Amino acid sequence: MLRNALLGLVSLALSLLVADWVLGRLTQDAAYTKAVKQGMAYDTRDRLRVILDNRRADANWFPAVPANTYLETHLKLGSERILPLGGVARARVVGCNEGGFYSSFTTDEAGFHNPSGTWPLKNDRHIFLVGDSFTQGDCVKEGEGIAERLRLRHPEVVNLGVGGNGPLLELAAIREYVPAGKTALVFWLYYEGNDLMDLQRDLRDPVLRRYLDAGFSQNLLPRQGQINERVRNYAEGRIRERSGGQALVFPNLRGALWRVRHGQGLIVADKPQKSDKSEADADQFLKILASAKQEVEAKGGQLVFVLLPEYYRFSGEPLSTWAGHSEELKKRVAGLGVSVIDTEPRLRRHPDPLSLFPFRLKGHYTGEGYALVAEVMSEFLNSKHGRAE
């Protein structure tokens, strides 16, 4: 009896190992495959291992924790639920690996990707960037992101971008971190590939949904010290939990189950995403952008809409459903009285636009791609219309 039970357990373990290996092969990063073929170096570690390896010399390394984490994992200050908008503050954080290396960067006093000493704000007029991981500067080497390149010419740039952000999180960032009297411009960087999709998720959160009310604020900045402590403790707990082995056993199976639980497929498909709610999403987005415009102008600044094109614009494949609304969206945004910057023409003029994506695959832009976006934005800032006085 005992022998049969042990044989059953061994058989189950072997079956799970085989299934995990098969899933790993099926989901093998296409970038890794291309790197091998091209004889290029590729870091095959997972992000946890990168963090743990760096922590041998410096314990202040953390994962890049997106704000949308706290839509599912609720943090509290006392009895009050708090929704942080930045990551771990005053830390070195590890992001994604699309180009064969893991991105990493330093966070400021509020957990955003800015130099130390950004807060409290010192200049009279600042240029703020809100957006998702494209704005944050993830997946490229430090110094190659949009904000960092802009800052070389415009030192007053403050980056409020965070990976995974959607429109409501971006409105929240404006409400909480863009101050009255110290704002010249707010660039709203809109990634056409998933920003409207993220809006569906954001609207389900009761705290985040309250930002649709003009008077609502969590008063995050005055409580930043307490928030930073809670976020750091949460991140430390996750590192301890995962490094204890819970997420290192059958990682591919666990990843597949996570995707299924979150409404995704067993295997991440590299194809345009579709939705039958995209038109309603676009209408809701315009209401949010109108609120952002009103808020920025009340604080003495100007809101500028920056359109970031998705990979399928250049690959010849059908666009995602949300990107299919971009042309109409640009017209409607302009109709709100918001200046529109479309960066696609500049990227398209590149001799090889697909080379602006790591390994010519769907993902974030390369450093060169970000440089072109920053160039277009800098030209706007240097123009008579867009100069930050």
Side-chain angles (χ1 to χ4, degrees):
M1 189 77 174
L2 179 59
R3 182 185 178 189
N4 289 337
L6 289 173
L7 286 174
L9 288 173
V10 170
S11 177
L12 176 62
L14 288 174
S15 298
L16 289 172
L17 284 170
V18 170
D20 191 75
W21 180 85
V22 170
L23 264 179
R25 296 292 292 180
L26 290 173
T27 59
Q28 178 66 65
D29 194 339
Y32 171 75
T33 303
K34 287 200 170 191
V36 170
K37 289 181 178 179
Q38 296 172 23
M40 297 177 60
Y42 196 97
D43 192 338
T44 59
R45 296 175 295 173
D46 64 16
R47 186 166 64 154
L48 175 60
R49 177 47 55 194
V50 174
I51 293 167
L52 294 177
D53 288 348
N54 283 319
R55 281 188 157 213
R56 293 174 182 172
D58 179 2
N60 199 33
W61 281 83
F62 289 87
V65 183
N68 64 49
T69 297
Y70 306 109
L71 302 183
E72 291 188 0
T73 302
H74 294 177
L75 294 188
K76 289 189 175 182
L77 287 181
S79 59
E80 175 193 1
R81 181 191 166 198
I82 199 78
L83 179 59
L85 300 179
V88 181
R90 302 186 190 93
R92 289 290 297 174
V93 301
V94 178
C96 79
N97 179 0
E98 289 182 350
F101 59 89
Y102 279 89
S103 61
S104 63
F105 51 86
T106 300
T107 57
D108 64 20
E109 294 77 11
F112 298 107
H113 183 185
N114 292 300
S116 177
T118 294
W119 308 93
L121 299 175
K122 300 172 181 62
N123 297 330
D124 291 334
R125 305 287 275 172
H126 291 80
I127 300 166
F128 294 89
L129 276 60
V130 296
D132 61 9
S133 52
F134 283 80
T135 306
Q136 185 178 41
D138 202 2
C139 303
V140 293
K141 294 179 180 178
E142 195 161 23
E144 293 184 345
I146 297 169
E148 295 154 290
R149 293 182 184 276
L150 281 175
R151 200 175 286 123
L152 296 175
R153 300 179 183 178
H154 309 278
E156 65 275 21
V157 165
V158 179
N159 186 1
L160 299 178
V162 173
N165 270 5
L168 259 183
L169 283 165
E170 289 152 17
L171 175 63
I174 291 173
R175 181 81 47 81
E176 300 289 351
Y177 291 99
V178 173
K182 289 194 173 186
T183 303
L185 282 168
V186 175
F187 283 115
W188 184 296
L189 281 77
Y190 171 86
Y191 175 59
E192 66 175 352
N194 61 22
D195 276 13
L196 294 186
M197 178 180 70
D198 292 336
L199 180 55
Q200 297 177 14
R201 172 205 66 199
D202 294 352
L203 286 169
R204 292 193 292 268
D205 187 87
V207 172
L208 195 51
R209 198 166 56 243
R210 291 188 66 189
Y211 281 99
L212 295 172
D213 302 328
F216 175 72
S217 170
Q218 296 183 87
N219 296 311
L220 297 182
L221 196 53
R223 300 189 288 175
Q224 197 65 55
Q226 295 172 285
I227 294 167
N228 290 347
E229 182 180 2
R230 294 292 293 115
V231 170
R232 182 174 286 257
N233 288 342
Y234 169 77
E236 285 281 9
R238 287 293 291 153
I239 291 172
R240 285 194 302 271
E241 176 186 329
R242 296 194 63 202
S243 60
Q246 293 186 30
L248 301 180
V249 178
F250 308 125
N252 299 310
L253 282 173
R254 291 171 63 88
L257 290 173
W258 185 92
R259 289 191 293 274
V260 170
R261 186 160 55 90
H262 288 77
Q264 304 174 19
L266 277 175
I267 299 172
V268 179
D270 184 17
K271 61 183 180 181
Q273 294 177 305
K274 302 298 179 182
S275 170
D276 58 0
K277 299 180 180 179
S278 57
E279 188 170 344
D281 294 337
D283 291 341
Q284 184 66 61
F285 170 72
L286 286 162
K287 293 178 183 178
I288 291 171
L289 195 69
S291 296
K293 176 180 183 289
Q294 182 177 10
E295 180 127 2
V296 170
E297 290 178 351
K299 292 177 175 180
Q302 175 190 359
L303 184 69
V304 180
F305 179 83
V306 182
L307 180 62
L308 303 178
E310 68 176 11
Y311 171 82
Y312 301 115
R313 288 277 173 191
F314 311 101
S315 70
E317 300 166 81
L319 298 177
S320 66
T321 304
W322 297 279
H325 289 280
S326 291
E327 289 304 314
E328 179 65 22
L329 201 61
K330 285 190 297 182
K331 296 176 184 177
R332 296 177 70 183
V333 169
L336 294 174
V338 176
S339 295
V340 175
I341 299 175
D342 187 354
T343 63
E344 181 197 346
R346 182 62 58 88
L347 271 63
R348 191 171 291 282
R349 289 203 301 268
H350 188 276
D352 184 10
L354 280 183
S355 71
L356 302 176
F357 297 85
F359 295 104
R360 307 173 67 83
L361 297 169
K362 180 181 179 295
H364 296 79
Y365 306 147
T366 62
E368 184 180 6
Y370 283 129
L372 292 176
V373 172
E375 186 179 291
V376 176
M377 294 170 64
S378 185
E379 288 171 359
F380 180 90
L381 286 170
N382 291 331
S383 70
K384 182 177 180 179
H385 175 67
R387 183 174 296 119
E389 301 288 351

